[in-house]
Amino acid sequence: HVMQLELSPKSALHAAINSLERLHLTGVRASEIALECPAHAHLGLRIALSCAVANQWPTAFVSETLSPDRAALHLLSLLARTPLNALASHQTQEADFTRLIEAAGRLASSPLFLLSDDASEFETTTKAILGLTRTAELKAVINERSRSAHSADWCGRLTTLCSARGVRIYVVAGAVTAGANGECFGDG
């Protein structure tokens, strides 16, 4: 599994819009689109929206469980306040599509970078994040982990990587979450 770097969410947005269209036309049964988003990934996406869309901070969303296309799909849904299952069950109105179009424009113009990542490839993640800190003046990294095991290690590594550049770091994983200063906390 190789990390995919999206220099902007635009190509991922294109794929997400195609998925939304398929979802609306074919519904859940015929669709191959995963509608579920783990709670910790959902939290990470909300943090990414706050950083990149609301505050216009150059932000990297690094996900172990969501591809850039799937992250863009869920970001669109969150930003438009239109649940994916409503699209799949044809319980949408014209206003929902208007909000989705507006959300796509806001997301496309935001300084958001979507990366999918393999937990075993920290060096690849490091190179991508370092590159973004130099070229995009990165202000926030949201790292979504599928499990809390080794989250403290990742949190420490990311803090070391980004602290000298003043980058805020948020690590969300299962029951463990880390704050802007790299502290890890949770109930696990």
PDB file of all heavy atoms in Angstrom, residues 46-75:
ATOM      1  N   ARG A  46     -13.526  16.446  10.837  1.00  0.00           N
ATOM      2  CA  ARG A  46     -14.082  17.703  11.382  1.00  0.00           C
ATOM      3  C   ARG A  46     -12.961  18.676  11.771  1.00  0.00           C
ATOM      4  O   ARG A  46     -13.061  19.877  11.535  1.00  0.00           O
ATOM      5  CB  ARG A  46     -14.984  17.424  12.573  1.00  0.00           C
ATOM      6  CG  ARG A  46     -16.314  16.837  12.176  1.00  0.00           C
ATOM      7  CD  ARG A  46     -17.269  16.832  13.373  1.00  0.00           C
ATOM      8  NE  ARG A  46     -18.592  16.474  12.963  1.00  0.00           N
ATOM      9  CZ  ARG A  46     -19.465  17.300  12.373  1.00  0.00           C
ATOM     10  NH1 ARG A  46     -19.134  18.536  12.134  1.00  0.00           N
ATOM     11  NH2 ARG A  46     -20.662  16.875  12.022  1.00  0.00           N
ATOM     12  N   ILE A  47     -11.897  18.148  12.358  1.00  0.00           N
ATOM     13  CA  ILE A  47     -10.749  18.996  12.697  1.00  0.00           C
ATOM     14  C   ILE A  47     -10.129  19.562  11.420  1.00  0.00           C
ATOM     15  O   ILE A  47      -9.799  20.753  11.353  1.00  0.00           O
ATOM     16  CB  ILE A  47      -9.709  18.223  13.537  1.00  0.00           C
ATOM     17  CG1 ILE A  47     -10.294  17.830  14.893  1.00  0.00           C
ATOM     18  CG2 ILE A  47      -8.428  19.049  13.724  1.00  0.00           C
ATOM     19  CD1 ILE A  47      -9.440  16.830  15.675  1.00  0.00           C
ATOM     20  N   ALA A  48      -9.989  18.738  10.393  1.00  0.00           N
ATOM     21  CA  ALA A  48      -9.430  19.188   9.113  1.00  0.00           C
ATOM     22  C   ALA A  48     -10.284  20.294   8.505  1.00  0.00           C
ATOM     23  O   ALA A  48      -9.753  21.290   7.980  1.00  0.00           O
ATOM     24  CB  ALA A  48      -9.300  18.010   8.142  1.00  0.00           C
ATOM     25  N   LEU A  49     -11.614  20.140   8.548  1.00  0.00           N
ATOM     26  CA  LEU A  49     -12.503  21.189   8.020  1.00  0.00           C
ATOM     27  C   LEU A  49     -12.333  22.485   8.799  1.00  0.00           C
ATOM     28  O   LEU A  49     -12.291  23.574   8.210  1.00  0.00           O
ATOM     29  CB  LEU A  49     -13.965  20.743   8.077  1.00  0.00           C
ATOM     30  CG  LEU A  49     -14.407  19.724   7.036  1.00  0.00           C
ATOM     31  CD1 LEU A  49     -15.844  19.288   7.296  1.00  0.00           C
ATOM     32  CD2 LEU A  49     -14.256  20.292   5.630  1.00  0.00           C
ATOM     33  N   SER A  50     -12.235  22.385  10.106  1.00  0.00           N
ATOM     34  CA  SER A  50     -12.060  23.579  10.930  1.00  0.00           C
ATOM     35  C   SER A  50     -10.752  24.294  10.575  1.00  0.00           C
ATOM     36  O   SER A  50     -10.732  25.515  10.402  1.00  0.00           O
ATOM     37  CB  SER A  50     -12.075  23.203  12.409  1.00  0.00           C
ATOM     38  OG  SER A  50     -11.829  24.341  13.204  1.00  0.00           O
ATOM     39  N   CYS A  51      -9.690  23.529  10.460  1.00  0.00           N
ATOM     40  CA  CYS A  51      -8.388  24.123  10.158  1.00  0.00           C
ATOM     41  C   CYS A  51      -8.331  24.701   8.738  1.00  0.00           C
ATOM     42  O   CYS A  51      -7.984  25.863   8.548  1.00  0.00           O
ATOM     43  CB  CYS A  51      -7.280  23.083  10.331  1.00  0.00           C
ATOM     44  SG  CYS A  51      -7.023  22.548  12.028  1.00  0.00           S
ATOM     45  N   ALA A  52      -8.663  23.875   7.744  1.00  0.00           N
ATOM     46  CA  ALA A  52      -8.447  24.256   6.346  1.00  0.00           C
ATOM     47  C   ALA A  52      -9.554  25.126   5.756  1.00  0.00           C
ATOM     48  O   ALA A  52      -9.268  26.048   4.989  1.00  0.00           O
ATOM     49  CB  ALA A  52      -8.278  23.007   5.483  1.00  0.00           C
ATOM     50  N   VAL A  53     -10.801  24.838   6.078  1.00  0.00           N
ATOM     51  CA  VAL A  53     -11.899  25.581   5.466  1.00  0.00           C
ATOM     52  C   VAL A  53     -12.262  26.803   6.311  1.00  0.00           C
ATOM     53  O   VAL A  53     -12.298  27.926   5.817  1.00  0.00           O
ATOM     54  CB  VAL A  53     -13.135  24.678   5.228  1.00  0.00           C
ATOM     55  CG1 VAL A  53     -14.299  25.484   4.663  1.00  0.00           C
ATOM     56  CG2 VAL A  53     -12.773  23.543   4.269  1.00  0.00           C
ATOM     57  N   ALA A  54     -12.518  26.603   7.600  1.00  0.00           N
ATOM     58  CA  ALA A  54     -12.943  27.718   8.445  1.00  0.00           C
ATOM     59  C   ALA A  54     -11.805  28.710   8.723  1.00  0.00           C
ATOM     60  O   ALA A  54     -12.013  29.914   8.659  1.00  0.00           O
ATOM     61  CB  ALA A  54     -13.512  27.183   9.763  1.00  0.00           C
ATOM     62  N   ASN A  55     -10.603  28.195   9.012  1.00  0.00           N
ATOM     63  CA  ASN A  55      -9.485  29.075   9.367  1.00  0.00           C
ATOM     64  C   ASN A  55      -8.510  29.337   8.223  1.00  0.00           C
ATOM     65  O   ASN A  55      -7.595  30.135   8.380  1.00  0.00           O
ATOM     66  CB  ASN A  55      -8.727  28.485  10.557  1.00  0.00           C
ATOM     67  CG  ASN A  55      -9.565  28.501  11.817  1.00  0.00           C
ATOM     68  OD1 ASN A  55     -10.171  29.511  12.153  1.00  0.00           O
ATOM     69  ND2 ASN A  55      -9.617  27.375  12.508  1.00  0.00           N
ATOM     70  N   GLN A  56      -8.675  28.617   7.105  1.00  0.00           N
ATOM     71  CA  GLN A  56      -7.795  28.759   5.932  1.00  0.00           C
ATOM     72  C   GLN A  56      -6.324  28.498   6.256  1.00  0.00           C
ATOM     73  O   GLN A  56      -5.422  29.102   5.667  1.00  0.00           O
ATOM     74  CB  GLN A  56      -7.971  30.147   5.288  1.00  0.00           C
ATOM     75  CG  GLN A  56      -9.295  30.328   4.577  1.00  0.00           C
ATOM     76  CD  GLN A  56      -9.422  29.400   3.368  1.00  0.00           C
ATOM     77  OE1 GLN A  56      -8.587  29.429   2.463  1.00  0.00           O
ATOM     78  NE2 GLN A  56     -10.455  28.564   3.349  1.00  0.00           N
ATOM     79  N   TRP A  57      -6.078  27.569   7.194  1.00  0.00           N
ATOM     80  CA  TRP A  57      -4.708  27.154   7.482  1.00  0.00           C
ATOM     81  C   TRP A  57      -4.318  26.056   6.500  1.00  0.00           C
ATOM     82  O   TRP A  57      -5.077  25.103   6.305  1.00  0.00           O
ATOM     83  CB  TRP A  57      -4.594  26.559   8.874  1.00  0.00           C
ATOM     84  CG  TRP A  57      -4.853  27.468  10.020  1.00  0.00           C
ATOM     85  CD1 TRP A  57      -4.894  28.834  10.013  1.00  0.00           C
ATOM     86  CD2 TRP A  57      -5.100  27.063  11.364  1.00  0.00           C
ATOM     87  NE1 TRP A  57      -5.160  29.294  11.279  1.00  0.00           N
ATOM     88  CE2 TRP A  57      -5.285  28.232  12.131  1.00  0.00           C
ATOM     89  CE3 TRP A  57      -5.175  25.819  11.995  1.00  0.00           C
ATOM     90  CZ2 TRP A  57      -5.536  28.199  13.483  1.00  0.00           C
ATOM     91  CZ3 TRP A  57      -5.432  25.799  13.350  1.00  0.00           C
ATOM     92  CH2 TRP A  57      -5.605  26.966  14.081  1.00  0.00           C
ATOM     93  N   PRO A  58      -3.147  26.116   5.904  1.00  0.00           N
ATOM     94  CA  PRO A  58      -2.672  24.979   5.123  1.00  0.00           C
ATOM     95  C   PRO A  58      -2.621  23.743   6.044  1.00  0.00           C
ATOM     96  O   PRO A  58      -1.976  23.779   7.094  1.00  0.00           O
ATOM     97  CB  PRO A  58      -1.285  25.409   4.664  1.00  0.00           C
ATOM     98  CG  PRO A  58      -1.355  26.919   4.655  1.00  0.00           C
ATOM     99  CD  PRO A  58      -2.218  27.257   5.846  1.00  0.00           C
ATOM    100  N   THR A  59      -3.356  22.700   5.665  1.00  0.00           N
ATOM    101  CA  THR A  59      -3.593  21.548   6.537  1.00  0.00           C
ATOM    102  C   THR A  59      -3.384  20.247   5.783  1.00  0.00           C
ATOM    103  O   THR A  59      -3.862  20.102   4.661  1.00  0.00           O
ATOM    104  CB  THR A  59      -5.043  21.601   7.079  1.00  0.00           C
ATOM    105  OG1 THR A  59      -5.224  22.829   7.785  1.00  0.00           O
ATOM    106  CG2 THR A  59      -5.351  20.431   7.988  1.00  0.00           C
ATOM    107  N   ALA A  60      -2.718  19.291   6.420  1.00  0.00           N
ATOM    108  CA  ALA A  60      -2.571  17.947   5.859  1.00  0.00           C
ATOM    109  C   ALA A  60      -3.443  16.995   6.668  1.00  0.00           C
ATOM    110  O   ALA A  60      -3.322  16.940   7.895  1.00  0.00           O
ATOM    111  CB  ALA A  60      -1.125  17.490   5.899  1.00  0.00           C
ATOM    112  N   PHE A  61      -4.317  16.265   5.985  1.00  0.00           N
ATOM    113  CA  PHE A  61      -5.090  15.195   6.619  1.00  0.00           C
ATOM    114  C   PHE A  61      -4.452  13.899   6.159  1.00  0.00           C
ATOM    115  O   PHE A  61      -4.511  13.543   4.984  1.00  0.00           O
ATOM    116  CB  PHE A  61      -6.569  15.261   6.207  1.00  0.00           C
ATOM    117  CG  PHE A  61      -7.394  14.152   6.815  1.00  0.00           C
ATOM    118  CD1 PHE A  61      -7.761  14.194   8.149  1.00  0.00           C
ATOM    119  CD2 PHE A  61      -7.795  13.061   6.048  1.00  0.00           C
ATOM    120  CE1 PHE A  61      -8.513  13.172   8.720  1.00  0.00           C
ATOM    121  CE2 PHE A  61      -8.543  12.038   6.604  1.00  0.00           C
ATOM    122  CZ  PHE A  61      -8.908  12.090   7.945  1.00  0.00           C
ATOM    123  N   VAL A  62      -3.786  13.212   7.084  1.00  0.00           N
ATOM    124  CA  VAL A  62      -3.081  11.964   6.790  1.00  0.00           C
ATOM    125  C   VAL A  62      -3.909  10.832   7.393  1.00  0.00           C
ATOM    126  O   VAL A  62      -4.098  10.774   8.598  1.00  0.00           O
ATOM    127  CB  VAL A  62      -1.664  11.967   7.413  1.00  0.00           C
ATOM    128  CG1 VAL A  62      -0.917  10.700   7.035  1.00  0.00           C
ATOM    129  CG2 VAL A  62      -0.886  13.198   6.994  1.00  0.00           C
ATOM    130  N   SER A  63      -4.412   9.937   6.542  1.00  0.00           N
ATOM    131  CA  SER A  63      -5.313   8.901   7.032  1.00  0.00           C
ATOM    132  C   SER A  63      -4.801   7.508   6.741  1.00  0.00           C
ATOM    133  O   SER A  63      -4.384   7.199   5.625  1.00  0.00           O
ATOM    134  CB  SER A  63      -6.694   9.068   6.391  1.00  0.00           C
ATOM    135  OG  SER A  63      -7.567   8.059   6.841  1.00  0.00           O
ATOM    136  N   GLU A  64      -4.880   6.691   7.766  1.00  0.00           N
ATOM    137  CA  GLU A  64      -4.523   5.290   7.615  1.00  0.00           C
ATOM    138  C   GLU A  64      -5.701   4.479   7.071  1.00  0.00           C
ATOM    139  O   GLU A  64      -5.500   3.454   6.429  1.00  0.00           O
ATOM    140  CB  GLU A  64      -4.084   4.741   8.974  1.00  0.00           C
ATOM    141  CG  GLU A  64      -3.533   3.341   8.908  1.00  0.00           C
ATOM    142  CD  GLU A  64      -3.080   2.858  10.269  1.00  0.00           C
ATOM    143  OE1 GLU A  64      -3.818   3.033  11.250  1.00  0.00           O
ATOM    144  OE2 GLU A  64      -1.978   2.284  10.325  1.00  0.00           O
ATOM    145  N   THR A  65      -6.939   4.932   7.307  1.00  0.00           N
ATOM    146  CA  THR A  65      -8.106   4.143   6.918  1.00  0.00           C
ATOM    147  C   THR A  65      -8.889   4.703   5.738  1.00  0.00           C
ATOM    148  O   THR A  65      -9.642   3.966   5.122  1.00  0.00           O
ATOM    149  CB  THR A  65      -9.088   3.978   8.098  1.00  0.00           C
ATOM    150  OG1 THR A  65      -9.506   5.265   8.539  1.00  0.00           O
ATOM    151  CG2 THR A  65      -8.447   3.230   9.247  1.00  0.00           C
ATOM    152  N   LEU A  66      -8.732   5.990   5.436  1.00  0.00           N
ATOM    153  CA  LEU A  66      -9.498   6.596   4.348  1.00  0.00           C
ATOM    154  C   LEU A  66      -8.571   6.989   3.200  1.00  0.00           C
ATOM    155  O   LEU A  66      -7.589   7.701   3.411  1.00  0.00           O
ATOM    156  CB  LEU A  66     -10.232   7.853   4.833  1.00  0.00           C
ATOM    157  CG  LEU A  66     -11.232   7.709   5.974  1.00  0.00           C
ATOM    158  CD1 LEU A  66     -11.742   9.080   6.402  1.00  0.00           C
ATOM    159  CD2 LEU A  66     -12.385   6.807   5.567  1.00  0.00           C
ATOM    160  N   SER A  67      -8.901   6.565   1.995  1.00  0.00           N
ATOM    161  CA  SER A  67      -8.165   7.033   0.826  1.00  0.00           C
ATOM    162  C   SER A  67      -8.496   8.512   0.624  1.00  0.00           C
ATOM    163  O   SER A  67      -9.500   9.007   1.156  1.00  0.00           O
ATOM    164  CB  SER A  67      -8.589   6.238  -0.413  1.00  0.00           C
ATOM    165  OG  SER A  67      -9.936   6.558  -0.740  1.00  0.00           O
ATOM    166  N   PRO A  68      -7.693   9.248  -0.148  1.00  0.00           N
ATOM    167  CA  PRO A  68      -8.052  10.649  -0.416  1.00  0.00           C
ATOM    168  C   PRO A  68      -9.453  10.789  -1.024  1.00  0.00           C
ATOM    169  O   PRO A  68     -10.187  11.706  -0.658  1.00  0.00           O
ATOM    170  CB  PRO A  68      -6.963  11.112  -1.392  1.00  0.00           C
ATOM    171  CG  PRO A  68      -5.776  10.286  -1.018  1.00  0.00           C
ATOM    172  CD  PRO A  68      -6.361   8.926  -0.679  1.00  0.00           C
ATOM    173  N   ASP A  69      -9.841   9.879  -1.918  1.00  0.00           N
ATOM    174  CA  ASP A  69     -11.171   9.945  -2.532  1.00  0.00           C
ATOM    175  C   ASP A  69     -12.274   9.754  -1.489  1.00  0.00           C
ATOM    176  O   ASP A  69     -13.264  10.488  -1.484  1.00  0.00           O
ATOM    177  CB  ASP A  69     -11.327   8.871  -3.610  1.00  0.00           C
ATOM    178  CG  ASP A  69     -10.360   9.041  -4.761  1.00  0.00           C
ATOM    179  OD1 ASP A  69      -9.653  10.061  -4.814  1.00  0.00           O
ATOM    180  OD2 ASP A  69     -10.314   8.134  -5.613  1.00  0.00           O
ATOM    181  N   ARG A  70     -12.094   8.773  -0.630  1.00  0.00           N
ATOM    182  CA  ARG A  70     -13.111   8.510   0.395  1.00  0.00           C
ATOM    183  C   ARG A  70     -13.137   9.627   1.435  1.00  0.00           C
ATOM    184  O   ARG A  70     -14.201  10.027   1.905  1.00  0.00           O
ATOM    185  CB  ARG A  70     -12.829   7.162   1.055  1.00  0.00           C
ATOM    186  CG  ARG A  70     -13.965   6.716   1.938  1.00  0.00           C
ATOM    187  CD  ARG A  70     -13.833   5.253   2.323  1.00  0.00           C
ATOM    188  NE  ARG A  70     -14.701   4.991   3.452  1.00  0.00           N
ATOM    189  CZ  ARG A  70     -14.410   4.197   4.453  1.00  0.00           C
ATOM    190  NH1 ARG A  70     -13.269   3.538   4.448  1.00  0.00           N
ATOM    191  NH2 ARG A  70     -15.251   4.017   5.437  1.00  0.00           N
ATOM    192  N   ALA A  71     -11.972  10.164   1.790  1.00  0.00           N
ATOM    193  CA  ALA A  71     -11.928  11.303   2.710  1.00  0.00           C
ATOM    194  C   ALA A  71     -12.667  12.493   2.101  1.00  0.00           C
ATOM    195  O   ALA A  71     -13.460  13.154   2.777  1.00  0.00           O
ATOM    196  CB  ALA A  71     -10.483  11.678   3.037  1.00  0.00           C
ATOM    197  N   ALA A  72     -12.443  12.761   0.810  1.00  0.00           N
ATOM    198  CA  ALA A  72     -13.126  13.874   0.136  1.00  0.00           C
ATOM    199  C   ALA A  72     -14.635  13.662   0.122  1.00  0.00           C
ATOM    200  O   ALA A  72     -15.406  14.611   0.314  1.00  0.00           O
ATOM    201  CB  ALA A  72     -12.594  14.044  -1.286  1.00  0.00           C
ATOM    202  N   LEU A  73     -15.083  12.428  -0.082  1.00  0.00           N
ATOM    203  CA  LEU A  73     -16.507  12.112  -0.073  1.00  0.00           C
ATOM    204  C   LEU A  73     -17.124  12.442   1.291  1.00  0.00           C
ATOM    205  O   LEU A  73     -18.164  13.104   1.380  1.00  0.00           O
ATOM    206  CB  LEU A  73     -16.712  10.630  -0.408  1.00  0.00           C
ATOM    207  CG  LEU A  73     -18.142  10.114  -0.445  1.00  0.00           C
ATOM    208  CD1 LEU A  73     -18.918  10.765  -1.571  1.00  0.00           C
ATOM    209  CD2 LEU A  73     -18.134   8.603  -0.603  1.00  0.00           C
ATOM    210  N   HIS A  74     -16.471  12.017   2.355  1.00  0.00           N
ATOM    211  CA  HIS A  74     -16.982  12.291   3.695  1.00  0.00           C
ATOM    212  C   HIS A  74     -16.851  13.773   4.067  1.00  0.00           C
ATOM    213  O   HIS A  74     -17.714  14.323   4.751  1.00  0.00           O
ATOM    214  CB  HIS A  74     -16.302  11.390   4.730  1.00  0.00           C
ATOM    215  CG  HIS A  74     -16.768   9.971   4.638  1.00  0.00           C
ATOM    216  ND1 HIS A  74     -17.974   9.557   5.149  1.00  0.00           N
ATOM    217  CD2 HIS A  74     -16.207   8.881   4.055  1.00  0.00           C
ATOM    218  CE1 HIS A  74     -18.139   8.265   4.895  1.00  0.00           C
ATOM    219  NE2 HIS A  74     -17.072   7.836   4.240  1.00  0.00           N
ATOM    220  N   LEU A  75     -15.800  14.438   3.593  1.00  0.00           N
ATOM    221  CA  LEU A  75     -15.662  15.875   3.819  1.00  0.00           C
ATOM    222  C   LEU A  75     -16.804  16.638   3.143  1.00  0.00           C
ATOM    223  O   LEU A  75     -17.362  17.570   3.724  1.00  0.00           O
ATOM    224  CB  LEU A  75     -14.310  16.374   3.300  1.00  0.00           C
ATOM    225  CG  LEU A  75     -13.095  16.014   4.138  1.00  0.00           C
ATOM    226  CD1 LEU A  75     -11.807  16.235   3.350  1.00  0.00           C
ATOM    227  CD2 LEU A  75     -13.077  16.805   5.441  1.00  0.00           C
TER     228      LEU A  75
END
